């Protein structure tokens, strides 16, 4: 019985988080403020009650059969808090890290959707109304095809990034080395070998392309990347739009923020005509930035006056807004956004650099 209760809670928490995210997308379509809540804790008080229930008299007998009753009750208590404050706001508007994008792609998440939803620019090709969206979508399509054919691989190389000033080797104790290792850090020597620097792992995302395939050669040409087969291409953050370079050694990406991705998907919400007629919202997104002509290829949210047969639907301003059960593209896009939200905005404990106690006067 406990297993069933646990799974019910799990499903309800998941559904509530999805509904909240969809509701905020719809809210922005009406230029209303958005709000996120965090579930701090879930506690439940379960009780069992055994009582004597109905009596059954056996015919032609003085015996009476008493049927016991077993009652079970569950009273859950949820603790919520609004997601506000400087840190949350900063994570909401700062560009999504290239590492996060690469981790998802390396885990076989569809790179086409990752590109369309999260990337604003790749090697100078801009995914916005003032850019070259047609070329950007061709690049995203080609990368998606290469991923499906296993001719594209996203991986990581690990470098060490120094985070301290040089420390004389003789000042370090064995306990310092152990403390650093436990926290995920290490010491790397300088060129002369007399000093060490505390360093932390710095994973660098890279891409491998099979240029023996026509699509591989074509995508390198589109991106103006000069690489040979099996030569890794580093994925770096940055914009190359203004440089007008004829070639690049790496792939430079400019990403959206989580809020930017939500705003982008807001254009996929189709409000009822009555709301447009009453000036409750716009017929099309009025602000510059993402292009709404191609949003139907990525995301669609429909509106209905009655509750639809859909697993994800929210009620807002008298209508139900939902993602159609058979719209696998929209469901995939929403799944990517949901995962990005969790990775980027849900707080996590970070390892702290070890505290080193070094003598000032030497050994």
């Amino acid at each position: 019985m406990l297993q069933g209760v646990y799974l019910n809670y799990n499903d309800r928490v998941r559904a509530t988080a999805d509904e909240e995210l969809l509701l905020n997308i719809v809210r922005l379509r009406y230029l209303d403020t958005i709000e996120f809540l965090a579930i701090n804790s879930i506690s439940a008080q379960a009780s069992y009650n055994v009582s004597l229930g109905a009596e059954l008299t056996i015919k032609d007998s003085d015996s009476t059969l008493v049927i016991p009753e077993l009652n079970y009750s569950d009273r859950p208590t949820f603790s919520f808090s609004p997601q506000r404050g400087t840190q949350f706001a900063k994570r909401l508007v700062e560009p999504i890290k290239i590492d996060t994008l690469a981790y998802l792609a390396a885990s076989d998440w569809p790179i086409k959707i990752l590109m369309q939803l999260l990337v604003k620019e790749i090697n100078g090709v801009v995914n916005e109304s003032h850019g070259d969206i047609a070329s950007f979508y061709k690049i995203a399509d080609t990368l998606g095809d290469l991923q499906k054919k296993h001719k594209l691989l996203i991986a990581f190389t690990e470098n060490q990034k120094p985070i301290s000033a040089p420390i004389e080797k003789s000042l370090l104790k064995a306990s310092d080395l152990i403390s650093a290792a436990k926290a995920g850090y290490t010491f790397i020597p300088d060129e002369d070998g007399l000093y060490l620097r505390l360093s932390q792992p710095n994973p660098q995302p890279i891409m491998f392309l099979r240029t023996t395939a026509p699509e591989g050669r074509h995508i390198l040409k589109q991106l103006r990347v000069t690489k040979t087969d099996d030569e890794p291409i580093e994925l770096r953050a940055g914009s190359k739009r203004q440089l007008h370079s004829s070639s690049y050694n790496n792939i430079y990406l400019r990403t959206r923020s989580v809020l930017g991705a939500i705003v982008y998907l807001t254009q996929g919400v189709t409000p009822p005509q009555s709301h447009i007629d009453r000036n409750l919202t716009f017929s099309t997104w009025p602000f510059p930035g993402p292009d709404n002509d191609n949003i139907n290829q990525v995301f669609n949210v429909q509106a209905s006056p009655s509750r639809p047969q859909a697993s994800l639907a929210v009620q807002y301003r008298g209508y139900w807004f939902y993602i159609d059960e058979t719209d696998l593209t929209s469901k995939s896009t929403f799944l990517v956004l949901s995962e990005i939200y969790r990775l980027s905005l849900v707080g996590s404990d970070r390892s702290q650099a070890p505290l080193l106690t070094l003598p000032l006067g030497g050994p």
Side-chain angles (χ1 to χ4, degrees):
M1 188 174 292
L2 178 62
Q3 181 182 10
V5 173
Y6 175 85
L7 294 178
N8 287 337
Y9 285 170
N10 179 283
D11 187 62
R12 190 60 256 171
V13 169
R14 176 202 59 80
T16 301
D18 288 348
E19 289 166 4
E20 179 186 63
L21 187 55
L22 178 59
L23 177 60
N24 281 325
I25 294 174
V26 175
R27 282 171 172 164
L28 276 180
R29 186 64 175 80
Y30 287 82
L31 301 184
D32 293 335
T33 56
I34 62 176
E35 185 67 72
F36 291 96
L37 294 177
I39 299 179
N40 298 325
S41 65
I42 303 174
S43 60
Q45 182 178 359
S47 63
Y48 295 89
N49 182 36
V50 180
S51 62
L52 299 180
E55 295 184 357
L56 179 63
T57 302
I58 302 176
K59 187 177 181 180
D60 299 330
S61 173
D62 294 333
S63 301
T64 300
L65 178 63
V66 179
I67 302 176
E69 292 182 353
L70 174 63
N71 298 310
Y72 169 80
S73 64
D74 177 31
R75 292 184 292 274
T77 301
F78 294 80
S79 173
F80 298 91
S81 64
Q83 292 273 64
R84 294 179 180 176
T86 303
Q87 289 301 317
F88 179 80
K90 180 181 178 181
R91 293 197 300 266
L92 188 65
V93 299
E94 66 183 4
I96 294 166
K97 295 180 180 180
I98 302 299
D99 289 359
T100 302
L101 182 69
Y103 279 126
L104 290 174
S107 302
D108 294 329
W109 286 69
I111 195 169
K112 175 182 176 179
I113 295 177
L114 292 173
M115 289 279 296
Q116 292 171 334
L117 176 61
L118 305 178
V119 178
K120 299 174 69 174
E121 176 188 340
I122 179 169
N123 277 15
V125 182
V126 179
N127 180 26
E128 291 184 329
S129 56
H130 59 272
D132 188 357
I133 291 181
S135 295
F136 185 93
Y137 271 53
K138 288 180 181 178
I139 292 172
D141 286 338
T142 304
L143 290 174
D145 290 339
L146 288 167
Q147 183 188 40
K148 290 179 181 178
K149 297 176 181 178
H150 304 288
K151 296 179 180 179
L152 177 151
L153 174 66
I154 303 292
F156 288 84
T157 59
E158 187 171 287
N159 304 316
Q160 292 294 327
K161 179 183 178 182
I163 59 172
S164 75
I167 304 171
E168 189 175 339
K169 288 178 64 174
S170 59
L171 299 180
L172 290 174
K173 303 176 182 177
S175 59
D176 296 326
L177 301 179
I178 295 173
S179 177
K182 286 182 177 179
Y185 295 83
T186 187
F187 288 94
I188 56 175
D190 281 352
E191 293 182 359
D192 55 14
L194 299 178
Y195 294 88
L196 298 175
R197 289 176 182 265
L198 184 66
S199 66
Q200 63 181 3
N202 183 36
Q204 170 61 54
I206 56 176
M207 176 188 293
F208 289 96
L209 278 172
R210 284 290 179 88
T211 54
T212 52
E215 310 97 300
R217 294 192 298 271
H218 179 65
I219 194 65
L220 290 181
K221 184 178 179 181
Q222 285 181 295
L223 296 175
R224 291 172 287 173
V225 173
T226 55
K227 292 286 185 178
T228 60
D229 191 26
D230 295 331
E231 191 175 0
I233 306 169
E234 292 187 359
L235 305 179
R236 296 183 177 180
S239 173
K240 294 297 177 180
R241 185 182 177 196
Q242 304 298 331
L243 296 183
H244 303 292
S245 176
S246 59
S247 63
Y248 305 102
N249 291 325
N250 302 295
I251 292 178
Y252 294 88
L253 301 161
R254 184 163 58 95
T255 59
R256 291 189 171 102
S257 63
V258 174
L259 182 59
I262 293 174
V263 170
Y264 174 63
L265 294 187
T266 291
Q267 301 172 92
V269 177
T270 304
Q273 186 61 43
S274 61
H275 287 186
I276 297 173
D277 295 339
R278 292 163 54 196
N279 289 327
L280 296 177
T281 185
F282 301 92
S283 57
T284 58
W285 190 250
F287 305 112
D291 175 61
N292 62 338
D293 293 336
N294 296 286
I295 190 64
N296 290 337
Q297 301 180 30
V298 181
F299 191 66
N300 282 284
V301 174
Q302 303 178 43
S304 172
S306 58
R307 186 181 182 102
Q309 294 296 321
S311 59
L312 181 55
V314 293
Q315 193 173 23
Y316 194 66
R317 291 181 176 266
Y319 274 78
W320 286 91
F321 292 85
Y322 67 98
I323 297 175
D324 190 278
E325 286 288 275
T326 61
D327 187 355
L328 299 183
T329 298
S330 295
K331 293 174 72 173
S332 298
T333 300
F334 187 84
L335 182 62
V336 169
L337 177 65
S338 178
E339 190 64 23
I340 283 292
Y341 172 78
R342 278 192 284 265
L343 289 173
S344 301
L345 297 183
V346 177
S348 60
D349 295 331
R350 296 183 180 180
S351 298
Q352 299 294 322
L355 179 63
L356 306 181
T357 303
L358 306 177
L360 295 178

